[in-house]
Amino acid sequence: MRDAEDSLSRDGQGLEPPTHVAVIMDGNGRWAKARGLPRTAGHKKGVDAVRRTVEAARELGIGYLTIFSFSSENWRRPEEEVSDLMSLLRFYLRSEIAELHKAGVRLRVIGDRSRLSDDIIRLIDNAEQLTAGNRVMTLVVALSYGSRQEIAAAARRLAEEVAAGRLDPAAIDEAALSARLYTADIPDPDLIIRTSGEQRISNFLLWQAAYAELVFVDTLWPDFTKRDLEAAIEEFHRRERRFGATTASR
């Protein structure tokens, strides 16, 4: 991996990277099916794509990369597939954390951990503690994550604080709710990429994505490369971001 300062502009693209890029990784199953392979093979190739994308994001100078690895709805998949995905997660947490730490990458995991096994929770806790001081890039893994559930839980915490007399209802605003989300200390995404040609965000960062640019690419996740990431960033820079305001020319 190259130094974090090696941004898009230094790679000859003439563009500064977004601060926060989020990715909905889709297409593992279709990748495997097209090759006559079991879905597990697609998920394994998807792990390779995660590795490539983390490295590419760091090389391009992206400060935060969030990957949607397992949704709250994914628990409804066949038990065997869920078990295989959890095994891959264990493998990643055991095999990749030392390299992430060496590269200066901080790991954050967001989502509902109550449904995860104790050994996976321990692996996550250890990885987060080991990398907590790293500042080159933050890798956010959305795991057992659903945005509606996240917002509901934040609202519930606000209600509990009001009921306990610790919070004035009049003080509840957007900032108050944002401070109680999993991402309270993480900037909102500038760019959300979804692979495999699907054009929806599937209960992912709904609150945080209010002003994110959405880029949908046909590439299946196992085939996603640094060039795909660069192309999405180039598309991001072609957009006019007004955050609800109008420009003088309009």
Side-chain angles (χ1 to χ4, degrees):
M1 291 185 179
R2 293 180 291 170
D3 294 339
E5 290 80 8
D6 213 355
S7 67
L8 272 174
S9 60
R10 292 183 176 86
D11 278 344
Q13 301 296 323
L15 303 173
E16 289 298 323
T19 298
H20 184 176
V21 175
V23 184
I24 301 172
M25 307 179 296
D26 193 17
N28 291 346
R30 273 168 283 174
W31 184 94
K33 183 178 180 179
R35 291 160 176 77
L37 300 172
R39 289 178 66 87
T40 303
H43 294 317
K44 288 179 179 178
K45 281 294 184 179
V47 171
D48 293 339
V50 169
R51 187 181 298 112
R52 288 195 306 270
T53 303
V54 170
E55 181 172 354
R58 182 182 178 276
E59 290 176 346
L60 296 172
I62 293 168
Y64 294 81
L65 174 69
T66 296
I67 56 174
F68 199 7
S69 65
F70 191 88
S71 74
S72 53
E73 292 80 12
N74 287 157
W75 290 110
R76 298 198 293 264
R77 291 187 177 187
E79 183 176 346
E80 183 178 356
E81 183 176 357
V82 170
S83 178
D84 288 339
L85 287 167
M86 291 299 113
S87 295
L88 282 173
L89 175 62
R90 289 185 181 92
F91 173 79
Y92 187 87
L93 289 169
R94 288 170 177 151
S95 66
E96 301 295 323
I97 298 307
E99 182 64 22
L100 289 176
H101 183 46
K102 182 180 178 181
V105 176
R106 176 174 67 131
L107 179 71
R108 279 285 311 280
V109 177
I110 61 172
D112 178 9
R113 301 188 188 188
S114 66
R115 301 186 69 176
L116 299 173
S117 63
D118 290 342
D119 67 311
I120 288 179
I121 293 172
R122 284 194 298 272
L123 287 169
I124 291 170
D125 288 342
N126 291 339
E128 288 184 325
Q129 291 170 17
L130 175 66
T131 62
N134 294 341
R135 295 292 180 265
V136 172
M137 188 183 81
T138 296
L139 172 63
V140 183
V141 177
L143 175 66
S144 188
Y145 174 85
S147 188
R148 287 181 172 180
Q149 295 90 326
E150 175 189 27
I151 294 168
R156 186 164 55 249
R157 284 192 288 273
L158 288 170
E160 290 168 351
E161 292 176 42
V162 169
R166 298 192 302 271
L167 180 66
D168 182 349
I172 297 176
D173 56 11
E174 292 180 15
L177 194 144
S178 291
R180 288 157 179 83
L181 298 175
Y182 295 129
T183 55
D185 61 338
I186 299 169
D188 288 345
D190 304 292
L191 167 63
I192 295 179
I193 303 166
R194 181 171 186 146
T195 61
S196 86
E198 301 292 346
Q199 298 189 16
R200 56 183 180 273
I201 58 175
S202 299
N203 199 19
F204 179 54
L205 299 178
L206 300 177
W207 178 277
Q208 299 89 337
Y211 288 105
E213 297 297 327
L214 308 179
V215 173
F216 302 104
V217 300
D218 291 333
T219 305
L220 299 177
W221 176 246
D223 294 326
F224 194 82
T225 67
K226 181 180 180 181
R227 182 60 200 133
D228 292 305
L229 179 59
E230 289 174 332
I233 293 173
E234 289 165 8
E235 173 60 25
F236 168 82
H237 280 283
R238 285 192 286 269
R239 310 277 179 89
E240 184 180 359
R241 306 187 76 205
R242 299 192 300 276
F243 301 95
T246 57
T247 62
S249 62
R250 291 175 181 260

